Amino acid sequence: MTPETLALIASYLMCSEAAEVRVLDGSEIEHCTSIYTEVKLGFVPEVSLDEYQIMSATQRAEVNQRGYAGFLAWRSSNAGPVTELDVDAKSSEMAVQTNPPCR
């Protein structure tokens, strides 16, 4: 696993943690969605982002499922590093930011 891929996974985990503790704004949702797509595509190396973007919805769904399964397998076989990444995500600035109260 490359340092770039680990950084991407760390970013995804920060997004995931932030979404657990607060409502993300529109730009955060867009940013986090693109990160998550890149993470999943990292586990389907034969499909590039450009190829993915022109696929049919059915093809994208299949690639998403394969990528997610690959990500879950990687998580379970790398428990130590994943725990460290999860701890970092929980303490990240993105996760602890709070949305202003509604008026």
Side-chain angles (χ1 to χ4, degrees), residues 28-81:
E28 290 174 314
I29 292 168
E30 191 174 307
H31 175 73
C32 291
T33 299
S34 70
I35 288 172
Y36 190 38
T37 298
E38 286 184 62
V39 167
K40 291 183 288 185
L41 287 176
F43 291 94
V44 187
E46 69 276 9
V47 178
S48 71
L49 181 58
D50 289 337
E51 292 168 327
Y52 176 82
Q53 290 174 332
I54 61 171
M55 289 179 167
S56 69
T58 302
Q59 291 169 316
R60 283 193 309 271
E62 189 268 331
V63 169
N64 277 322
Q65 289 174 341
R66 287 178 40 218
Y68 183 66
F71 176 63
L72 291 181
W74 176 85
R75 279 187 69 111
S76 69
S77 65
N78 291 277

Side-chain angles (χ1 to χ4, degrees), residues 99-103:
N99 290 331
C102 295
R103 295 182 192 242

